[in-house]
Amino acid sequence: MLALRLARGAHPLVLLRRLLVAAASGGTGFLLLAALGHAAAHPATAADSFVRLLWCAVPVAATIQLAVSTARTDPASRPQRGMSAAGLGPVRLTVIAATSTAVSCVLGSFVALLAFLMVRGDLVGATAADSAAQLLGAGHSLPLAGALMLLAVVPVTAATATAVVLRPRRNARGAGRRTGPSAGAGEPLTAMDTNSTASAVPAALPWGMALTAAGLALETYVSRGPANADTLLPLPGRLIGSPPGVLAGWALSTLGLVLAGPGLARLSGRLLAAGRPGAVRLLAGRVLQEESRRIGRPLGVLCAVASGAYAAVKVYEAAPARPFGPLTGLGAALVLACVTASALTAALEARWARTHTTAALRRLGTPRSVLFRASVLRVLALLVVLGPLTWAIAELAALPLLH
């Protein structure tokens, strides 16, 4: 009940982010139900139905990432003064955040069930179209237990992931002073902390780039041999046929970009502050280096999804005989929307985390135009570093499938 009361009194922007989580959960639930409906209508093709269900893991992961990012920026999950005395300590706030995430996902799953039944023609007075009968298994009985189990995947997993990410952590430094990436949100850093963070070497960057290179090499090696119909793993909607080795290469490349994301963001900040920078460029570079861990992973996921989407479009253009299916389009749009919203949410979280630093700069007489130009420089630096890298990886990933 407390989670519902906090949701009712939340800021409109917070409510909008929760509605996005509900919409993502609804889209993912519809895809899961579509896989179940196909399995019910085609019991003889169990392998095809399993493949359709397996592809739903991608939008499920994207939805969970969006739900966790939204919970991290929710004001109700942040410790406030006096809340511990009222019985709302860190553990209780974590439970409230997980409950709010579960409520949003359950709402989306319920809407997905209604939409699925309406499209299938199971509701009173509704008639299913031919395409719905083919894709969703209209006219065949749907197992209620299986539908409820699939719809519970996103709420349960998202709530669990939220509780794990937001769980209270004991400070290992022991001095009670939190610095660097483990500092609390909104806590200003000292000059010593900023310098030590700026000079730290991103250890995950070489590992991430090595995994990306290994994934591209695996994809190139596997795609050299002839791929027959028995070894293909088709996307729902018959977009393309992809050998499992190629999919494994894409997975390695995606994992590499996610691991290298914080290092690439920090590298962008170093390049921005290289040489003899002025006040604006130095401020933009230092802030970008400090926020690299917070925004790096969502940016890495966004780059991985963008490169995969670009490669898929290139392959589709080379093989127009296999058009996009509606479920494939829904899944692709859902994943792109979730990872983009997660990156924007991480940017909002970073902006909130440096509130005290911004206020201190304003008290020192820093004009707002300087802070705005520093923000623009950070965005441009990320585009300059991540844009060409994403395009190059997408081209290399699509090249073996075009020949």
Side-chain angles (χ1 to χ4, degrees), residues 15-69:
L15 291 178
L16 177 61
R17 292 199 293 264
R18 291 177 179 172
L19 286 178
L20 289 177
V21 173
S25 176
T28 304
F30 189 89
L31 292 175
L32 291 171
L33 290 176
L36 180 62
H38 183 273
H42 305 84
T45 58
D48 188 18
S49 301
F50 177 75
V51 168
R52 289 173 176 265
L53 186 61
L54 185 63
W55 274 111
C56 294
V58 180
V60 167
T63 302
I64 293 173
Q65 184 200 12
L66 176 61
V68 173
S69 300

Side-chain angles (χ1 to χ4, degrees), residues 205-219 249-260 389 393 396:
L205 179 57
W207 288 104
M209 299 310 296
L211 280 178
T212 302
L216 294 175
L218 176 62
E219 180 187 352
W250 279 6
L252 281 178
S253 300
T254 300
L255 180 61
L257 281 176
V258 173
L259 290 178
L389 178 63
I393 292 176
L396 292 175

Side-chain angles (χ1 to χ4, degrees), residues 63-239:
T63 302
I64 293 173
Q65 184 200 12
L66 176 61
V68 173
S69 300
T70 301
R72 286 172 59 93
T73 57
D74 195 340
S77 63
R78 301 168 186 165
Q80 304 290 340
R81 292 181 179 178
M83 297 187 70
S84 297
L88 294 178
V91 177
R92 185 68 62 85
L93 290 178
T94 302
V95 174
I96 292 175
T99 304
S100 300
T101 301
V103 169
S104 300
C105 294
V106 167
L107 176 62
S109 299
F110 178 73
V111 174
L113 179 61
L114 291 180
F116 181 76
L117 295 177
M118 183 178 299
V119 174
R120 271 173 51 97
D122 293 337
L123 298 180
V124 179
T127 303
D130 294 337
S131 59
Q134 182 180 1
L135 292 176
L136 307 181
H140 299 269
S141 60
L142 191 69
L144 180 60
L148 294 180
M149 287 182 60
L150 288 179
L151 289 178
V153 169
V154 175
V156 172
T157 309
T160 304
T162 301
V164 171
V165 171
L166 299 182
R167 71 187 186 279
R169 292 179 176 85
R170 183 182 299 273
N171 190 4
R173 296 181 183 270
R177 176 174 169 268
R178 297 179 297 178
T179 60
S182 61
E187 185 176 343
L189 296 173
T190 62
M192 183 181 299
D193 298 329
T194 306
N195 292 333
S196 61
T197 303
S199 60
V201 177
L205 179 57
W207 288 104
M209 299 310 296
L211 280 178
T212 302
L216 294 175
L218 176 62
E219 180 187 352
T220 303
Y221 176 77
V222 173
S223 61
R224 292 172 56 187
N228 51 53
D230 297 333
T231 61
L232 296 185
L233 190 60
L235 284 169
R238 298 177 181 177
L239 169 63

Side-chain angles (χ1 to χ4, degrees), residues 78 183-189 291 294 346-358:
R78 301 168 186 165
E187 185 176 343
L189 296 173
E291 295 176 350
R294 182 176 282 111
L348 291 177
E349 182 186 7
R351 181 181 179 183
W352 178 83
R354 63 173 184 271
T355 301
H356 293 281
T357 303
T358 303

